[in-house]
Amino acid sequence: MSEYRAPLEDMRFALRDLAALENIASLPGYAEAGSDVVDAILDEAARFAGEILSPLNRVGDLHGSRLDGGRVVTAPGFREAYRRFVDGGWNGLASDPAYGGQGLPRLVAAAVSEMWKGANHAFSLCPMLTQGAIEALVLAGTESQKALYLPALVAGEWTGTMNLTEPGAGSDLAAIRCRAEPTANGAYRLYGQKIFITYGDHDLAENIVHLVLARIAGAPEGVRGISLFLVPKFLPDATGRPGARNDVQCVSLEHKLGIHGSPTAVLAFGDREGALGSLVGEENRGLEIMFIMMNAARFNVGLEGLGDAERSYQRAAAYARERVQGTEAGRRDGAKVPILRHPDVRRMLMSMRSRIEAMRALAYVVAAAQDEAAAHPDAGTRAAAGAFAELLVPVVKGWCTENAIDIASLGIQIHGGTGYIEETGAAQHLRDSRITAIYEGTTAIQANDLVGRKLVRDGGAALAALIARMRQDAKAAGGAGDDDALGRRLETAIDGLESAGAWLLARWSDDVASALAGAVPFLMLLGTTAGGWQMARAATIASARRIAGDKSAFWMAKLATARFYSDHFLTQAPGLANAIVSGATGTLAMPEESF
């Protein structure tokens, strides 16, 4: 069975040429992110992903995690791999040096994170949740909370979780009933149950820091009455080391379709004396802080989709090169050929690869914007970059994960009947990727956020700024490749995006239901168009390099994938725009009793 190999050449291209790593490295605090340093980091991360994490991917799928006498045991090899992960300093790559981190840009961390996810999706979830906990505490924690918890979390000695939903609540956080009772010394005791808690219990680290949404007695109903609490599995002692066991227990592990190596826990808080915790931020403002974790997690889930898609493509391409079956179209000599030579297999592989390259480029460009929003010395530039990133984070999450599911399905199709057999490994990528469009907010939740908050909140200003950037690059792409098809198709897609956005804005004030009926198609339209924008930029660069005399196969391949994306995906944009503007009636017309 093949192992994951990081696509370093395309990663470096996306980092340098599309996301402008050099510009990010010039920002205050990022001077260490020079090209040589980043190259070394990428090379070592690729080695760790391919040699340590990838071989455990199948192990985690087969063995999973198990609950043994109240203790969660992870799959064989996971503990040792996590120890090496921590010892290598990978957990603190983008964290503040004040707490032991390396302070590298999010852009670099995104590329490295893609490798972890592509090599072993289930393993990568543990450090991902820890990063979210770190960000929440950096922004809203007290100085004592930061001093006590952040060094251990940044190092990876302790891990973090996000505890939102409860039985019966699902994505409706207004329905949570976990309660927090204040104690005489300013702490709180929590009582209730949380479900779907990724790495809610495990044996990888010496302590687990739960960030838990709960209600204080007398708090308002709904989301306005939710507070956030820090509840450690083991209460730190006077020296800051894990001490007495807190009253939080894993009562069961979910039996899931995929990501078996990741323990998804049901946690009970306060079955005895109450789980001791401390308030993070202000009372009744917990959801605002939790959204810090959620936004970071949403971007990273988009990277999970990218990683799963890349791994599925690698496996399918390897199989297509090796599997000999049938004769080549148009030839009569009867010679059997690898299925890679069959036109439809090539179509499927190009469908996978072109979208992966577009997804990678868009995700990295958004990560670079997050760095600019955090560190650029000019306030106007910070604001513009922040608006750009906020607009596109739900797209990275929703569009990338929906594509990943289809790409993983195509990976099975290329394998034929053997792909449906678990031993091939192709099916795992579809099972693993399927959750990405659900957790941290379903695609519909991302789309509703995109339309209801990101588009409507500023009257479409961020979208208009993005469209202006895309139109400028579409004109430059007019001469890329053999003709101007890519530039023309991108312009047409942008026209559809602009008209659909205007229609949604006009509808929002008097017909919210019709607007939301088009929200997911709008997210997919924006993702498809923004992905095409990045592919057009890539083609422009590749064309210029070839004109300058660089005949590298990489540039020829980049032109080919850009053209395929233009032919097969940008051409779908007008249909998506039409579905947004005209599709609400058909969506909402059916009487409820007819379903």
Side-chain angles (χ1 to χ4, degrees), residues 537-555:
R537 294 180 65 213
T540 302
I541 294 166
S543 182
R545 298 287 175 88
R546 287 185 62 79
I547 291 170
D550 186 345
K551 303 304 181 184
S552 165
F554 178 81
W555 303 121

Side-chain angles (χ1 to χ4, degrees), residues 180-198:
E181 298 181 359
T183 67
N185 63 0
Y188 293 81
R189 291 196 179 275
L190 273 69
Y191 302 87
Q193 191 177 94
K194 296 291 182 178
I195 61 172
F196 302 150
I197 310 306
T198 300

Side-chain angles (χ1 to χ4, degrees), residues 60-61 64-65 121-123 125 198 256-264 304 308 428 431-433 435-436 439:
D61 189 50
S65 298
H121 181 165
F123 179 94
L125 289 168
T198 300
K256 309 185 297 289
L257 177 69
I259 55 169
H260 296 151
S262 167
T264 303
E304 287 172 20
D308 283 333
Q428 183 188 347
R431 290 188 287 101
D432 285 356
S433 65
I435 187 60
T436 62
Y439 62 13

Side-chain angles (χ1 to χ4, degrees), residues 295 298 390 394 444-455:
N295 277 332
R298 285 172 174 177
E390 283 194 6
I445 289 173
Q446 307 305 313
N448 291 350
D449 174 63
L450 173 64
V451 174
R453 292 189 180 94
K454 310 301 167 56
L455 179 66

